[in-house]
Amino acid sequence: MARFVLVHGAWHGAWCFADVVQELEERGHAAEAVDLPCDVPGLTQHDYAALIGPQPDAILVGHSLGAQTIPHVTARRRVYLGGLLPVAGAYDEAFAEGFGGTLR
């Protein structure tokens, strides 16, 4: 069976993957969700990748902003789940006026 490491996006934590971890484990896989310190100002995707550390035997799943972290982590395979990719101009068109979700 496979080993999964699940990486959350902004404004989330490991808690958001609780049901996914349970489902994967019920199917015989090993699964863990990392809890990144998103509330610490100034950390970058490189800092988050260092906290996760190399995962050469894992399928690394990056959700939302986590998709910008997983390319910096050694992994067997990477899965982008609704990932916000680093594409020029993407944020200019990503949120409707008045969204407010970019403020902490």
Side-chain angles (χ1 to χ4, degrees):
M1 289 297 174
R3 180 173 166 269
F4 291 85
V5 175
L6 309 165
V7 181
H8 64 81
W11 306 291
H12 284 87
W15 56 265
C16 72
F17 285 118
D19 291 340
V20 176
V21 168
Q22 181 179 342
E23 290 289 332
L24 287 168
E25 289 176 343
E26 287 176 3
R27 287 166 171 74
H29 301 289
E32 68 176 290
V34 297
D35 205 9
L36 298 175
C38 293
D39 56 343
V40 178
L43 294 181
T44 67
Q45 272 60 46
H46 294 280
D47 297 319
Y48 294 146
L51 290 169
I52 296 166
Q55 304 292 330
D57 65 331
I59 298 169
L60 199 60
V61 179
H63 172 253
S64 190
L65 201 56
Q68 292 188 18
T69 296
I70 66 171
H72 306 289
V73 177
T74 301
R76 181 174 125 202
R77 188 161 326 271
R78 291 174 193 84
V79 175
Y80 297 85
L81 180 63
L84 291 174
L85 301 177
V87 177
Y91 299 107
D92 298 336
E93 301 174 15
F95 303 111
E97 186 174 328
F99 172 67
T102 59
L103 303 176
R104 288 190 173 178

